[in-house]
Amino acid sequence: MAVTTASGHASEGDFDRVLVVDFGAQYAQLIARRVREARVFSEIVPRDITAAEVAAKHPVGIILSGGPASVYADDAYDLDPEILSLGVPILGICYGHQILAKTLGGTVSNTGKSEFGGTELTVLDDGSALFVGQPSEQQVWMSHNDAVSEAPQGFTVTASTPDAPVAAMENVDAGFFGVQFHPEVAHTDHGQRILEEFLWHVCHARPTWTHVGIIEQSVEAIQDAVGDGTAICGLSGGVDSSVAAAIVHKAIGDQLTCVFVDHGLMRKGEGEQVEDTFRNHFHMNLIHVKAEDRFLDALAGVTDPEEKRKIIGETFIRVFEEVAEGIEGARFLVQGTLYPDVIESGTKDAAKIKSHHNVGGLPDDIQFELIEPLRDLFKDEVRAVGEELGLPDEIVWRQPFPGPGLAVRIIGDITRERLDILRDADAIVLDELRKAGLEREIWQSFGVLPAIRSVGVQGDGRTYAYPLIIRAVTSDDAMTADWARIPYDVLAKISSRVINEVPGINRVAYDVSSKPPATIEWE
């Protein structure tokens, strides 16, 4: 578990570590998740990592991800060959399988035959380290044009498909393994077991990446980082900041002061709920800063979503700095940054999608050292940690809510009128989904208010009012999402209530876009 400071240094817990080398695959994050499901800590690292950098991380195993290119393309991604001399077990997947074969002297060919989707795999050696005790015929998920046609010297071919003669290979003595298919996807019948064989029996990784272990290591790292100092936490009441606050409070107790900045961009009733929960139920030091006017003044006339995020992020920090002046020794700032926030804010092989307020939206001259105890976690892991910490269900299972709040759910200029309209409409959306028993099934649901008006008829009169767009998606980790198939009768109830109960809205639409190509939020 990392405690990241503003200078970029991190303090890591004592977990066995498996590195996932990202060659630009759409599944790199999924590989990391599957490793964690085997209770082993995974860390995604860039494709140009050097052998020295790998050695400094002391991994017990390395997984080479898939990638979109051919290993023989002019701009093909290469692996530092010295990594193969470190004595660390390596599993190559898809492109990683091919780059491993090519680097070690095998042959990768474009046979003119591609395999995409479900494919029948024949296991040639059921005593293989990866396939031990598994069926000789099994369904796997393929996605490739090139294929390994000849394994490197010293390797045994352990599985094949009609169009991939070396669908799996291994050199047990060297600790090198490769599979052309994707064991990390659910469509591969025994994929998780294959990964577990590599992790547990080849790498001998200890399965200690548990919720209890995460908390224990995080608490220790926070105590070491903070010492006798004082930390403040930007508390929004959402699951991320709440779990972050709970971990830090467990670590340093009254050395933590939670600061709830009410920027006027919250959902209906949230300000009161946050204060009641953390001041009265968890007995944390809480400062409630009512700063709606300040934020709205700063956002007046701003329509660009990136500019909105940056303004809100900077204003947050300035408010924190002012509050911190009255808190002796407050030089640490706790944030609920998650791993998807870091990925979406831009990495070498993941394009910048948006500036997260905790990542790309922070000013360069920030005066705090950051503590981000959730930075390595996906949302489902955060929820599990929250339950382990004893947080109530209404906090743990609360839907994700962006740090910039309703500012990124109003498309266009932000005004008090539009905020009030969206708050009332959004509350109806959540209420009806809750009544329909869909709250746990849906990852995120909310209303979006475009700053446009359209003609309608209500009663005997003509109206000129806003539309409300309903957004509801299903997802496991927010990296990908699909639009939720809400029953028509539920949508009808939402539409009827919004139009009848919220002055200023005369039309309701439903967003049926997936991520990708769309994002979950509209801005």
Side-chain angles (χ1 to χ4, degrees):
M1 182 63 61
V3 178
T4 306
T5 68
S7 58
H9 299 297
S11 172
E12 300 290 348
D14 184 28
F15 292 104
D16 284 346
R17 179 193 312 266
V18 169
L19 301 183
V20 178
V21 181
D22 184 3
F23 283 105
Q26 60 176 320
Y27 293 137
Q29 290 79 38
L30 185 56
I31 295 171
R33 287 180 53 78
R34 295 295 182 245
V35 173
R36 294 175 185 209
E37 287 175 13
R39 303 188 300 283
V40 176
F41 176 65
S42 60
E43 179 186 353
I44 297 176
V45 296
R47 52 182 164 77
D48 57 359
I49 190 170
T50 66
E53 290 169 333
V54 170
K57 291 179 177 292
H58 304 290
V60 299
I62 299 170
I63 298 178
L64 310 178
S65 84
S70 165
V71 295
Y72 291 117
D74 291 339
D75 58 350
Y77 300 152
D78 289 321
L79 179 73
D80 181 352
E82 293 301 316
I83 291 175
L84 305 181
S85 302
L86 295 175
V88 179
I90 296 175
L91 170 63
I93 295 175
C94 194
Y95 183 90
H97 166 65
Q98 295 172 12
I99 199 69
L100 185 64
K102 176 176 176 289
T103 303
L104 292 171
T107 304
V108 180
S109 307
N110 189 332
T111 62
K113 297 180 179 180
S114 302
E115 288 180 313
F116 293 93
T119 304
E120 192 72 21
L121 179 83
T122 299
V123 176
L124 304 175
D125 180 2
D126 60 6
S128 158
L130 300 186
F131 297 102
V132 60
Q134 294 179 33
S136 59
E137 302 290 332
Q138 51 184 277
Q139 192 81 358
V140 298
W141 188 260
M142 288 284 197
S143 180
H144 70 97
N145 290 304
D146 297 346
V148 177
S149 55
E150 183 178 345
Q153 186 174 357
F155 276 75
T156 300
V157 178
T158 55
S160 66
T161 68
D163 294 316
V166 187
M169 62 182 188
E170 66 180 40
N171 182 332
V172 175
D173 292 338
F176 297 151
F177 302 79
V179 294
Q180 182 59 65
F181 57 91
H182 289 274
E184 72 274 17
V185 304
H187 304 291
T188 295
D189 287 345
H190 301 278
Q192 185 65 18
R193 182 173 173 185
I194 289 169
L195 290 174
E196 289 172 355
E197 292 292 342
F198 174 72
L199 296 168
W200 295 342
H201 301 132
V202 174
C203 302
H204 303 292
R206 296 171 298 167
T208 56
W209 182 253
T210 64
H211 308 137
V212 173
I214 291 169
I215 293 168
E216 290 176 349
Q217 293 290 342
S218 185
V219 165
E220 182 179 347
I222 292 164
Q223 290 171 338
D224 290 343
V226 176
D228 295 331
T230 302
I232 59 176
C233 175
L235 185 62
S236 70
V239 60
D240 303 340
S241 68
S242 297
V243 174
I247 289 179
V248 177
H249 187 259
K250 182 179 179 66
I252 62 174
D254 288 342
Q255 291 170 253
L256 171 69
T257 296
C258 292
V259 179
F260 171 47
V261 177
D262 191 345
H263 48 26
L265 306 170
M266 306 291 288
R267 289 174 289 196
K268 193 168 186 177
E270 282 187 321
E272 297 82 357
Q273 181 191 36
V274 169
E275 182 152 14
D276 178 67
T277 299
F278 288 92
R279 191 193 301 279
N280 299 329
H281 289 81
F282 293 111
H283 307 293
M284 292 186 188
N285 297 327
L286 177 66
I287 298 174
H288 187 170
V289 182
K290 298 183 179 181
E292 179 179 12
D293 291 345
R294 183 167 172 176
F295 279 86
L296 293 188
D297 288 346
L299 290 166
V302 177
T303 59
D304 179 75
E306 277 294 287
E307 190 176 353
K308 287 180 185 178
R309 290 176 182 273
K310 290 183 183 299
I311 288 172
I312 293 168
E314 180 165 359
T315 305
F316 254 106
I317 294 301
R318 298 310 170 218
V319 171
F320 277 124
E321 289 174 343
E322 293 166 10
V323 172
E325 289 179 359
I327 303 173
E328 185 176 353
R331 64 185 181 91
F332 296 95
L333 173 61
V334 180
Q335 292 200 135
T337 307
L338 304 191
Y339 189 73
D341 301 332
V342 178
I343 292 295
E344 289 197 341
S345 292
T347 62
K348 183 183 299 293
D349 292 309
K352 179 177 176 178
I353 298 172
K354 62 187 178 183
S355 289
H356 188 266
H357 71 291
N358 285 353
V359 184
L362 295 177
D364 294 334
D365 61 344
I366 179 174
Q367 299 300 305
F368 297 105
E369 293 184 65
L370 298 183
I371 295 179
E372 298 176 303
L374 312 180
R375 189 182 177 91
D376 292 329
L377 303 184
F378 291 96
K379 180 72 78 171
D380 59 321
E381 293 176 309
V382 173
R383 294 193 196 280
V385 167
E387 288 185 322
E388 186 67 36
L389 287 166
L391 290 172
D393 281 354
E394 54 266 28
I395 294 291
V396 171
W397 290 99
R398 187 177 179 188
Q399 289 188 2
F401 188 62
L406 299 182
V408 293
R409 293 179 179 175
I410 293 176
I411 313 304
D413 192 11
I414 299 164
T415 66
R416 277 189 174 81
E417 178 212 23
R418 290 170 181 165
L419 284 167
D420 290 340
I421 289 172
L422 180 54
R423 252 190 288 270
D424 288 342
D426 184 73
I428 291 172
V429 173
L430 297 177
D431 184 51
E432 287 299 329
L433 292 176
R434 190 179 301 112
K435 289 177 178 176
L438 299 173
E439 191 176 29
R440 288 284 185 96
E441 296 179 25
I442 294 175
W443 173 269
Q444 209 166 346
S445 56
F446 52 88
V448 176
L449 191 75
I452 58 174
R453 298 176 190 263
S454 63
V455 175
V457 178
Q458 289 175 286
D460 294 323
R462 177 181 181 275
T463 62
Y464 192 58
Y466 297 108
L468 177 76
I469 298 165
I470 300 171
R471 179 69 161 148
V473 298
T474 57
S475 180
D476 291 324
D477 53 26
M479 299 302 296
T480 60
D482 194 14
W483 60 278
R485 272 55 171 183
I486 297 175
Y488 289 159
D489 62 329
V490 177
L491 289 173
K493 288 179 182 178
I494 293 172
S495 177
S496 177
R497 282 193 60 192
V498 167
I499 292 172
N500 287 323
E501 297 177 25
V502 183
I505 293 178
N506 65 358
R507 190 181 299 270
V508 174
Y510 188 47
D511 182 347
V512 293
S513 309
S514 63
K515 175 189 178 182
T519 54
I520 295 177
E521 298 289 344
W522 269 53
E523 287 199 347

